[in-house]
Amino acid sequence: KQWYQRRVRGILLGHMSQDSSFANLRKATLEAAAKQIQEARTRRARCLNEAKFEAKTEVELFAKQKELEYQAYEKMVNNQEKNSTGDSEMNLTKEMTFITDSYRQNKEVALQFMMSAVLDIKPIIHSNYKMAM
C-alpha cells in the first residue's frame, strides 16, 4: 500500500512539474507571439509612414509641374491677348477713319435726299384706302 501511495504521489508530482513546464512553455510562446506582433505593428507603421512620405512627395512634384504648365499657358494667353488688343485697336482705328471719311463724303448727298423727301410732296392714295361711293 505504501508503495502505491508513493507511486501516485510521484506521478502527481511529475504531472505538476509537467504542468509548470507547460505553463512556462505557454508563457514563453505567448511572449514570443506578442513580440512578433509588436514587430509587425512597428514594420507596418514604418511602411505606412514611408508610403505617406512618398505620396506627399509625388503630389508636391505633380503640383509643381502643373503650376509650371499653368504659368506657361497663362503667359501664352497674355501674349495672345496683347496681340489681339493691338490688332483690335488697329482695326477700330481703321474703321473709325473709314466711317468719318464716308460721313464727310456723303453728308451733302444725304442732306439733299432728306430735304427733297420732306419738301417735294406727291400726294397719292394708299392702296388699302377704299373710297366710299
Side-chain angles (χ1 to χ4, degrees):
K1 190 172 177 183
Q2 284 182 345
W3 174 82
Y4 179 73
Q5 287 177 349
R6 274 187 265 159
R7 178 85 173 131
V8 170
R9 192 177 299 146
I11 292 172
L12 288 177
L13 287 175
H15 282 300
M16 286 174 67
S17 67
Q18 282 181 350
D19 286 344
S20 67
S21 66
F22 283 130
N24 289 338
L25 180 64
R26 182 171 182 240
K27 183 179 178 183
T29 305
L30 289 175
E31 287 174 357
K35 186 177 178 181
Q36 283 182 341
I37 289 172
Q38 186 60 35
E39 288 174 2
R41 287 180 179 160
T42 305
R43 263 193 324 271
R44 179 175 175 251
R46 188 175 351 103
C47 287
L48 286 174
N49 285 337
E50 288 174 3
K52 182 179 177 181
F53 179 74
E54 288 175 9
K56 184 178 178 182
T57 305
E58 194 172 319
V59 166
E60 288 173 354
L61 180 66
F62 181 76
K64 285 179 184 178
Q65 179 185 2
K66 288 300 177 183
E67 181 65 27
L68 291 174
E69 288 176 13
Y70 174 75
Q71 288 175 355
Y73 182 73
E74 187 176 33
K75 189 180 229 181
M76 182 184 70
V77 168
N78 286 339
N79 288 340
Q80 287 178 352
E81 189 174 292
K82 287 178 184 177
N83 291 341
S84 295
T85 303
D87 291 344
S88 296
E89 288 177 6
M90 189 169 59
N91 289 338
L92 180 64
T93 305
K94 285 181 183 178
E95 286 184 32
M96 289 300 293
T97 305
F98 175 76
I99 290 171
T100 305
D101 291 344
S102 178
Y103 169 76
R104 287 183 186 146
Q105 288 175 359
N106 297 319
K107 180 170 105 173
E108 288 297 322
V109 175
L111 281 174
Q112 296 236 342
F113 176 74
M114 286 175 54
M115 291 299 286
S116 68
V118 170
L119 297 176
D120 296 339
I121 299 173
K122 297 177 186 171
I124 54 171
I125 298 175
H126 195 271
S127 61
N128 290 339
Y129 180 75
K130 293 183 181 177
M131 291 181 77
M133 290 196 194

